[in-house]
Amino acid sequence: QIEILRNRFESAEKWLAAAIDKFGASLMVRDEEVFHDLALAMFQNGKVEQAETRLRISLQLNPDFAKGWNNLGCCLASKLNLHDGARAVRKAVSLDPENPQYWANLAVLSQHLGDYSLSQSAMSNALQLWPSMPEHRDCAWEFAPAG
Protein backbone atom coordinates (compact mmCIF):
# COMPACT_ATOMS: atom_id res chain seq x y z
CA GLN A 1 0.00 0.00 0.00
CA ILE A 2 2.93 2.33 0.56
CA GLU A 3 3.84 2.05 -3.12
CA ILE A 4 0.29 3.02 -4.09
CA LEU A 5 0.34 6.00 -1.74
CA ARG A 6 3.59 7.08 -3.42
CA ASN A 7 1.95 6.70 -6.87
CA ARG A 8 4.40 3.92 -7.76
CA PHE A 9 1.80 1.74 -9.41
CA GLU A 10 4.15 -0.48 -11.40
CA SER A 11 6.09 -1.37 -8.27
CA ALA A 12 2.87 -1.86 -6.31
CA GLU A 13 1.53 -4.20 -8.98
CA LYS A 14 4.74 -6.23 -8.94
CA TRP A 15 4.76 -6.66 -5.15
CA LEU A 16 1.05 -7.35 -4.80
CA ALA A 17 1.02 -9.86 -7.66
CA ALA A 18 3.98 -11.62 -6.05
CA ALA A 19 2.13 -11.73 -2.74
CA ILE A 20 -0.74 -13.54 -4.42
CA ASP A 21 1.03 -15.60 -7.08
CA LYS A 22 4.14 -16.70 -5.20
CA PHE A 23 2.87 -16.83 -1.66
CA GLY A 24 -0.87 -17.12 -2.10
CA ALA A 25 -0.92 -20.86 -2.70
CA SER A 26 0.96 -21.60 0.49
CA LEU A 27 -0.59 -18.85 2.60
CA MET A 28 -4.09 -19.11 1.11
CA VAL A 29 -4.44 -15.37 0.56
CA ARG A 30 -8.02 -14.54 1.50
CA ASP A 31 -7.76 -10.83 2.16
CA GLU A 32 -9.97 -8.82 -0.18
CA GLU A 33 -7.69 -5.80 0.36
CA VAL A 34 -4.76 -7.53 -1.38
CA PHE A 35 -6.81 -8.20 -4.50
CA HIS A 36 -8.35 -4.74 -4.32
CA ASP A 37 -4.98 -3.00 -4.07
CA LEU A 38 -3.60 -5.09 -6.93
CA ALA A 39 -6.65 -4.06 -8.97
CA LEU A 40 -6.00 -0.40 -8.21
CA ALA A 41 -2.36 -0.70 -9.31
CA MET A 42 -3.34 -2.61 -12.46
CA PHE A 43 -5.99 -0.02 -13.34
CA GLN A 44 -3.46 2.79 -12.96
CA ASN A 45 -1.10 0.80 -15.20
CA GLY A 46 -3.75 0.59 -17.93
CA LYS A 47 -4.70 -3.05 -17.26
CA VAL A 48 -8.42 -2.45 -16.92
CA GLU A 49 -9.61 -6.00 -17.66
CA GLN A 50 -7.18 -7.51 -15.14
CA ALA A 51 -8.20 -4.88 -12.59
CA GLU A 52 -11.85 -5.82 -13.02
CA THR A 53 -11.01 -9.49 -12.50
CA ARG A 54 -9.11 -8.75 -9.26
CA LEU A 55 -11.96 -6.57 -7.98
CA ARG A 56 -14.43 -9.36 -8.63
CA ILE A 57 -12.20 -11.76 -6.68
CA SER A 58 -12.09 -9.30 -3.77
CA LEU A 59 -15.90 -9.21 -3.80
CA GLN A 60 -16.14 -12.99 -3.88
CA LEU A 61 -13.98 -13.03 -0.75
CA ASN A 62 -16.11 -10.34 0.91
CA PRO A 63 -19.46 -9.49 -0.69
CA ASP A 64 -19.92 -6.70 1.86
CA PHE A 65 -16.73 -4.86 0.78
CA ALA A 66 -18.18 -1.43 -0.03
CA LYS A 67 -14.89 0.02 -1.31
CA GLY A 68 -14.60 -2.92 -3.70
CA TRP A 69 -18.12 -2.34 -5.05
CA ASN A 70 -17.46 1.38 -5.51
CA ASN A 71 -14.21 0.78 -7.33
CA LEU A 72 -15.69 -2.00 -9.47
CA GLY A 73 -18.35 0.52 -10.48
CA CYS A 74 -15.71 3.04 -11.48
CA CYS A 75 -13.73 0.38 -13.32
CA LEU A 76 -16.83 -0.67 -15.28
CA ALA A 77 -17.70 2.97 -15.97
CA SER A 78 -14.22 3.51 -17.43
CA LYS A 79 -15.13 0.79 -19.96
CA LEU A 80 -18.39 2.67 -20.68
CA ASN A 81 -20.41 -0.06 -18.99
CA LEU A 82 -22.39 2.60 -17.16
CA HIS A 83 -25.41 0.51 -16.19
CA ASP A 84 -23.36 -2.16 -14.42
CA GLY A 85 -21.07 0.53 -13.03
CA ALA A 86 -24.01 2.36 -11.48
CA ARG A 87 -25.41 -0.92 -10.13
CA ALA A 88 -22.07 -1.64 -8.40
CA VAL A 89 -21.89 1.87 -6.93
CA ARG A 90 -25.48 1.55 -5.68
CA LYS A 91 -24.36 -1.60 -3.86
CA ALA A 92 -21.50 0.39 -2.27
CA VAL A 93 -23.97 3.07 -1.17
CA SER A 94 -26.27 0.46 0.35
CA LEU A 95 -23.35 -1.03 2.31
CA ASP A 96 -21.90 2.31 3.45
CA PRO A 97 -24.49 5.09 3.16
CA GLU A 98 -22.30 7.45 5.20
CA ASN A 99 -19.63 7.63 2.49
CA PRO A 100 -20.11 10.84 0.46
CA GLN A 101 -17.79 9.68 -2.31
CA TYR A 102 -20.08 6.75 -3.10
CA TRP A 103 -23.09 9.07 -3.27
CA ALA A 104 -21.18 11.48 -5.54
CA ASN A 105 -20.16 8.62 -7.82
CA LEU A 106 -23.77 7.47 -8.00
CA ALA A 107 -24.75 11.04 -8.89
CA VAL A 108 -22.19 11.22 -11.71
CA LEU A 109 -23.09 7.83 -13.18
CA SER A 110 -26.83 8.48 -12.88
CA GLN A 111 -26.40 11.77 -14.73
CA HIS A 112 -24.52 9.98 -17.54
CA LEU A 113 -27.39 7.49 -17.71
CA GLY A 114 -29.96 10.28 -17.91
CA ASP A 115 -31.51 9.62 -14.50
CA TYR A 116 -31.41 13.25 -13.38
CA SER A 117 -33.71 12.76 -10.42
CA LEU A 118 -31.45 10.08 -8.89
CA SER A 119 -28.40 12.15 -9.77
CA GLN A 120 -29.72 15.20 -7.91
CA SER A 121 -30.84 13.14 -4.92
CA ALA A 122 -27.50 11.32 -4.69
CA MET A 123 -25.53 14.58 -4.94
CA SER A 124 -27.72 16.11 -2.26
CA ASN A 125 -26.89 13.18 0.03
CA ALA A 126 -23.18 13.54 -0.76
CA LEU A 127 -23.21 17.24 0.07
CA GLN A 128 -25.11 16.68 3.31
CA LEU A 129 -22.34 14.31 4.39
CA TRP A 130 -19.50 16.50 3.08
CA PRO A 131 -20.65 20.10 2.48
CA SER A 132 -17.28 21.25 1.09
CA MET A 133 -16.89 18.30 -1.29
CA PRO A 134 -14.96 19.19 -4.45
CA GLU A 135 -16.93 19.00 -7.68
CA HIS A 136 -17.28 15.43 -8.92
CA ARG A 137 -17.04 14.97 -12.71
CA ASP A 138 -15.94 11.36 -12.95
CA CYS A 139 -16.38 8.20 -10.95
CA ALA A 140 -13.66 8.39 -8.30
CA TRP A 141 -11.88 5.34 -6.95
CA GLU A 142 -11.45 5.07 -3.22
CA PHE A 143 -8.12 4.07 -1.76
CA ALA A 144 -7.86 3.93 1.98
CA PRO A 145 -5.10 1.82 3.52
CA ALA A 146 -6.37 -1.21 5.39
CA GLY A 147 -6.03 -1.01 9.09
Side-chain angles (χ1 to χ4, degrees):
Q1 291 180 339
I2 291 171
E3 293 298 286
I4 291 174
L5 290 171
R6 293 179 176 161
N7 290 327
R8 296 180 188 166
F9 299 108
E10 288 181 23
S11 176
E13 180 183 340
K14 180 183 83 172
W15 286 107
L16 290 162
I20 293 169
D21 297 337
K22 293 182 182 173
F23 307 113
S26 62
L27 297 177
M28 295 301 293
V29 172
R30 296 216 178 269
D31 184 356
E32 68 274 7
E33 289 281 354
V34 175
F35 289 95
H36 168 271
D37 293 354
L38 177 57
L40 186 138
M42 289 177 149
F43 185 85
Q44 292 297 323
N45 291 329
K47 299 174 182 175
V48 178
E49 295 296 329
Q50 292 106 319
E52 179 186 344
T53 298
R54 296 327 179 277
L55 286 166
R56 290 188 185 280
I57 292 169
S58 77
L59 293 167
Q60 287 174 352
L61 293 170
N62 181 359
D64 296 327
F65 185 38
K67 178 171 59 172
W69 284 108
N70 177 76
N71 293 350
L72 176 62
C74 292
C75 184
L76 293 169
S78 77
K79 296 169 37 175
L80 301 180
N81 185 348
L82 299 177
H83 287 283
D84 289 340
R87 191 176 0 259
V89 172
R90 272 194 299 274
K91 177 73 172 178
V93 165
S94 74
L95 292 167
D96 186 2
E98 299 302 311
N99 188 312
Q101 183 176 348
Y102 301 167
W103 283 108
N105 285 342
L106 182 58
V108 167
L109 294 178
S110 297
Q111 184 173 11
H112 287 306
L113 289 168
D115 189 341
Y116 302 112
S117 175
L118 178 57
S119 178
Q120 287 179 332
S121 173
M123 187 52 73
S124 175
N125 288 336
L127 291 171
Q128 283 179 348
L129 292 165
W130 185 9
S132 62
M133 176 186 289
E135 184 178 356
H136 239 61
R137 293 186 182 183
D138 296 311
C139 194
W141 282 58
E142 178 185 19
F143 177 73

